[in-house]
Amino acid sequence: MSLSSLPEQIADRLRRDILRGDLAPGAAIKERDKAAHEGVSRTPMREAIRILAREGLVVLRPARSPIVADPSIKEVTDELVVMCELEVLSVRLACLHAPDDAVERIKSLNEQFGLEYAHRDMLDLFEMDMAFHRAIAAASGNAALERTHGAYLARLWRARYLSARERRSRDRVLTQHGAIVDALVARDPDRAAIATGAHLRDLVTNITAVMAGEDNSANETETRTRDTA
Amino acid sequence: MSLSSLPEQIADRLRRDILRGDLAPGAAIKERDKAAHEGVSRTPMREAIRILAREGLVVLRPARSPIVADPSIKEVTDELVVMCELEVLSVRLACLHAPDDAVERIKSLNEQFGLEYAHRDMLDLFEMDMAFHRAIAAASGNAALERTHGAYLARLWRARYLSARERRSRDRVLTQHGAIVDALVARDPDRAAIATGAHLRDLVTNITAVMAGEDNSANETETRTRDTA
DNA sequence: ATTGTCGATCTGGTATACCAAAATTGTTTG
DNA sequence: CAAACAATTTTGGTATACCAGATCGACAAT
């Protein structure tokens, strides 16, 4: 009995491995080996890899092993900018159209975050943060927006995870989320948009700083020119 | 020799068939038959179908033939709203960062559109319109934005195609594109954003009208509840 | 005549076998 | 000793065979 298909399950496992860093950026994913390792055949493994490729977590190279994506700072920043825009749109739409109980749910998510703040594991807190942002996208009532936003959220998991390790950034998150909730409750689209924009712009600077620090190697990902011998 | 892989070629062909309407919305795509018909095996056909599924052109159902997507008006509208936002962001960024030759290219694309306006087939004109919008996204210098915008453009091909058949909408497109180009050349982000927003909002109303007219049947796509007999 | 059930058949899911291109490595030669 | 070439091996791409679940029709019992 499977809630999701086998390829999706494999993709989920691989995604976790990639995002948690167990599979290093730049590492090759040999479909034969991986399939054998997971105890499945190549076909579903292949499909799982394609799923992650579409998500941008692995890059496919013609006639070569797929490798774990190793996005440059610019690429991550670009993605963050887009996600920011999507979330601002979400919160605007949510102000206008979201039913009250959706707003209430978002509010309670943030309150819960405040409560559990001290006790919980960083990873749990992080999941709660994700849930908060996801809830806002869902509250927009725009399914396409929710999907695309979710895709970006997933792709940026790792970068956001790195950023969230900074302790001082966490309470800033809390107050900023509070501001967003307030504007949402007041049904004030402009204020909500500003609050969301500020929150995500902070995230951009934070992530940029962290990535610049951690990762001094200049790395590219996409198509690189290859010289013939 | 293939510029793109076999599955992508198949996907391209299928996409054309779907978007042009040769494959009716709601029609089943049986991978065995289709593969035999195209003269390839099931594996690449399967992969091609998955590609289109990710693009939202076909929907996969568990243990059932994939079917051509038949989006409701709301779904299309939602997607248009998101694409609008993406393109507004694109044009803003393009105003700020695009190199002059990129702006020049956009300008010339629109001029060419104006020139060929009379002689060319509607399909060609449509392709040129697509190229215009794509060029703006590319000029943003944000690869993620360009990708996502391109995905929406592809998915909305059919709806836009239906809309473009209205003759009177076409010269409005021309003037609106002109306004966008002017703002872009002047490097005025706000004016460009407004012009782009207006253009796409017109598109939304136009498409809504066309779809509501053409297609009176209330159609859903995603999960529909199925009553047991 | 209608309805319930069983089974043939059709469909997608998975495993595997085969192929062609590319990397690597070992050997040979300058 | 180094560089270049060739064969082997490794890899992903494709085709196909097999399996399980679902659908739909036929037949039988009421």
Side-chain angles (χ1 to χ4, degrees):
Chain A
M1 204 20 281
S2 64
L3 288 138
S4 55
S5 75
L6 180 55
E8 278 180 49
Q9 288 176 33
I10 301 169
D12 287 345
R13 248 174 313 196
L14 275 183
R15 186 173 5 214
R16 281 188 71 85
D17 291 348
I18 292 173
L19 293 173
R20 300 192 59 153
D22 295 350
L23 259 65
I29 301 179
K30 296 183 269 198
E31 63 180 44
R32 265 186 169 87
D33 298 3
K34 271 291 167 211
H37 183 266
E38 295 277 354
V40 298
S41 110
R42 283 177 60 200
T43 315
M45 172 59 69
R46 194 180 167 70
E47 207 163 293
I49 291 174
R50 301 310 158 116
I51 291 174
L52 297 180
R54 288 257 149 201
E55 291 177 6
L57 286 175
V58 309
V59 333
L60 267 37
R61 305 170 302 177
R64 209 67 141 281
S65 278
I67 58 176
V68 178
D70 186 8
S72 66
I73 294 182
K74 170 162 175 31
E75 284 172 323
V76 171
T77 307
D78 281 355
E79 288 175 350
L80 275 167
V81 167
V82 177
M83 194 185 79
C84 175
E85 197 73 7
L86 293 174
E87 199 156 328
V88 167
L89 177 60
S90 294
V91 81
R92 281 204 126 93
L93 292 176
C95 276
L96 299 174
H97 308 307
D100 288 334
D101 60 344
V103 174
E104 203 52 44
R105 208 175 83 78
I106 294 170
K107 187 179 175 186
S108 77
L109 275 173
N110 191 45
E111 281 164 359
Q112 194 186 348
F113 187 87
L115 287 174
E116 317 252 359
Y117 185 74
H119 333 284
R120 298 291 276 266
D121 171 325
M122 186 190 69
L123 223 129
D124 293 337
L125 288 176
F126 189 65
E127 292 292 351
M128 290 171 71
D129 180 66
M130 292 269 290
F132 179 78
H133 288 276
R134 225 183 272 282
I136 289 178
S140 74
N142 183 323
L145 180 54
E146 184 182 353
R147 268 197 305 274
T148 305
H149 174 268
Y152 273 89
L153 212 50
R155 199 167 342 175
L156 289 168
W157 208 94
R158 179 158 177 67
R160 288 160 53 79
Y161 183 73
L162 289 177
S163 160
R165 290 205 298 221
E166 313 274 288
R167 188 156 292 108
R168 74 174 181 293
S169 81
R170 286 211 287 266
D171 26 54
R172 193 163 48 193
V173 162
L174 196 58
T175 63
Q176 286 177 340
H177 280 195
I180 295 171
V181 169
D182 286 347
L184 205 47
V185 170
R187 301 282 182 175
D188 185 338
D190 292 336
R191 216 173 82 209
I194 290 170
T196 304
H199 177 38
L200 291 181
R201 245 180 302 283
D202 262 20
L203 190 64
V204 172
T205 62
N206 203 344
I207 286 179
T208 307
V210 171
M211 283 190 70
E214 282 241 343
D215 196 279
N216 282 341
S217 59
N219 40 20
E220 289 122 79
T221 298
E222 310 297 87
T223 48
R224 67 181 354 171
T225 56
R226 188 167 306 280
D227 7 57
T228 48
Chain B
M1 213 31 291
S2 63
L3 289 138
S4 55
S5 74
L6 180 56
E8 277 179 52
Q9 288 176 31
I10 301 170
D12 287 346
R13 245 172 317 191
L14 275 182
R15 186 170 11 220
R16 281 189 71 84
D17 290 348
I18 292 174
L19 292 172
R20 300 194 57 155
D22 294 349
L23 259 65
I29 301 178
K30 294 183 269 197
E31 64 180 44
R32 262 184 170 88
D33 297 2
K34 270 292 166 209
H37 183 265
E38 296 277 355
V40 298
S41 111
R42 284 177 59 199
T43 315
M45 172 57 71
R46 193 182 167 68
E47 210 163 291
I49 292 174
R50 300 311 157 115
I51 291 174
L52 298 180
R54 286 260 150 201
E55 290 177 6
L57 286 175
V58 309
V59 333
L60 267 38
R61 306 169 302 175
R64 210 65 141 284
S65 278
I67 58 175
V68 178
D70 185 9
S72 66
I73 294 181
K74 170 163 174 32
E75 283 172 323
V76 171
T77 307
D78 281 355
E79 288 175 352
L80 275 167
V81 167
V82 176
M83 194 186 77
C84 175
E85 197 73 10
L86 293 173
E87 198 156 329
V88 167
L89 177 59
S90 294
V91 82
R92 282 206 124 95
L93 292 176
C95 277
L96 300 174
H97 308 308
D100 287 334
D101 60 342
V103 174
E104 203 52 43
R105 208 174 82 79
I106 294 170
K107 187 179 175 185
S108 77
L109 274 173
N110 191 46
E111 281 165 359
Q112 195 186 347
F113 187 88
L115 287 174
E116 316 253 358
Y117 184 76
H119 332 285
R120 299 291 275 268
D121 172 325
M122 185 189 70
L123 222 127
D124 293 337
L125 289 177
F126 189 65
E127 293 289 353
M128 292 172 69
D129 180 67
M130 292 270 289
F132 178 79
H133 288 276
R134 227 184 270 283
I136 289 178
S140 73
N142 185 322
L145 180 54
E146 184 183 353
R147 266 198 305 274
T148 304
H149 174 267
Y152 272 90
L153 212 50
R155 201 169 339 179
L156 289 168
W157 209 94
R158 180 156 176 70
R160 288 160 54 79
Y161 182 74
L162 288 177
S163 160
R165 288 206 298 221
E166 312 275 288
R167 186 158 293 109
R168 75 174 183 291
S169 81
R170 286 212 286 267
D171 24 53
R172 193 162 49 191
V173 162
L174 196 59
T175 63
Q176 287 177 340
H177 281 195
I180 295 172
V181 169
D182 287 346
L184 204 47
V185 169
R187 301 281 180 176
D188 184 339
D190 291 335
R191 214 174 81 210
I194 290 169
T196 304
H199 177 38
L200 292 181
R201 242 180 305 282
D202 262 19
L203 189 64
V204 171
T205 62
N206 204 342
I207 286 178
T208 307
V210 171
M211 283 189 71
E214 282 241 343
D215 196 281
N216 282 340
S217 58
N219 41 17
E220 288 122 81
T221 298
E222 311 295 87
T223 48
R224 68 177 355 168
T225 55
R226 187 168 304 282
D227 8 57
T228 48

